[in-house]
Amino acid sequence: MNIGQASATSGVSAKMIRYYEDIGLMPKAGRTEAGYRVYTAADVNTLRFIRRARDLGMPIERIRLLVSLWQDRARSSGDVKRIALEHVSELRTKIAELTAMCEALEGLAHACHGDHRPDCPILEDLEAGGQQAPARVRRRRRIDAGQSQPGATA
Amino acid sequence: MNIGQASATSGVSAKMIRYYEDIGLMPKAGRTEAGYRVYTAADVNTLRFIRRARDLGMPIERIRLLVSLWQDRARSSGDVKRIALEHVSELRTKIAELTAMCEALEGLAHACHGDHRPDCPILEDLEAGGQQAPARVRRRRRIDAGQSQPGATA
DNA sequence: CCTTGACCTTCCCACGATGGGAAGCCCCAT
DNA sequence: ATGGGGCTTCCCATCGTGGGAAGGTCAAGG
């Protein structure tokens, strides 16, 4: 099987297949006399395994661990689970960060009337470094009004 | 004020300050005769504005828009709000993606006994391309057992 | 005055994972 | 034999950030 076929049946782009080989995530593919890479059905399975792990958001290094465990008949499922839970934990951290950002911005946007007037709590918050209480952003008390004049940069 | 002071008081690294200048997000800083960059308090405010926007997860190009709006006294708060809500929408999309990954992996990890035995639903799912029903992963029915022998890659 | 150390400058490289594209070779079908 | 599509390698770009080298500058203390 050529790389194009392997790509089509695994769902991994040819570019990525070469890259995975390059970084040692995939074993070196066999070659035809002309230098074309040759893939077996087992290779395609590995590629699919990798793609699936990528779909779960795993970084290459974690996938590398999982692949070696996968190929190790004497593995402990506990090791696999530990890696999986580690990733779950990182995902949760990331989700929490994004959620915090999202909520902060939603609160700001909610407080913004969003009409033709220039007056805007979002900009004010950005300007003030988010120091104000998120609730009741109404009272904008002109923090450092002298210096923070936009446009006075030069 | 030198770049070190500007960095310390704005919370943006000197490296990033130079980068922002380079890509035109910050105006070109003034220079001393020796070539040192010189910053004003207004510059530091801009830097803080940018940092705060970055903290909300915004990409540079969106921040660029926001900064120009911020410095435009004739802006409409509606424009600002639109940009903010656009970002909220992207954050929500990202959160949904991560949540889906997280839940999938949690389900798999839950089904894994996690002991010394090699038997592992996580690996089986990765191998099978996530085709099985997520609930009741208990029945692992040896999908394609002939081909998918790990380790048979070469 | 000279040295020392902290600061500044520019330039290059790296990350992680992916895509784009160019130059050139190969294979198959017509 | 010729054309088109597939393959090869190599380089570059993304995005935002950090690291580090080589060299200039400034301020303080001997």
Side-chain angles (χ1 to χ4, degrees), chain A residues 81-100:
Chain A
K81 187 169 182 171
R82 192 179 35 74
I83 292 173
L85 288 180
E86 204 173 307
H87 188 61
V88 165
S89 157
E90 286 178 21
L91 285 173
R92 277 207 268 248
T93 301
K94 195 79 188 155
I95 290 167
E97 287 171 9
L98 294 181
T99 301

Side-chain angles (χ1 to χ4, degrees), chain A residues 40-106:
Chain A
T40 65
D43 289 329
V44 172
N45 278 332
T46 304
L47 251 6
R48 272 201 276 251
F49 183 100
I50 293 169
R51 181 176 61 80
R52 177 83 182 128
R54 291 276 324 129
D55 287 350
L56 288 174
M58 293 195 187
I60 297 290
E61 288 315 305
R62 212 185 304 271
I63 298 175
R64 197 190 294 274
L65 261 37
L66 247 21
V67 169
S68 70
L69 245 23
W70 178 48
Q71 291 175 342
D72 176 9
R73 269 176 243 187
R75 70 185 168 239
S76 309
S77 62
D79 289 346
V80 179
K81 187 169 182 171
R82 192 179 35 74
I83 292 173
L85 288 180
E86 204 173 307
H87 188 61
V88 165
S89 157
E90 286 178 21
L91 285 173
R92 277 207 268 248
T93 301
K94 195 79 188 155
I95 290 167
E97 287 171 9
L98 294 181
T99 301
M101 292 173 185
C102 198
E103 283 172 2
L105 202 49
E106 273 169 345

Side-chain angles (χ1 to χ4, degrees), chain B residues 90-109:
Chain B
E90 286 178 20
L91 285 173
R92 278 207 269 247
T93 301
K94 195 78 187 159
I95 290 167
E97 287 171 10
L98 294 181
T99 302
M101 292 173 186
C102 198
E103 282 171 3
L105 201 48
E106 272 169 346
L108 255 13

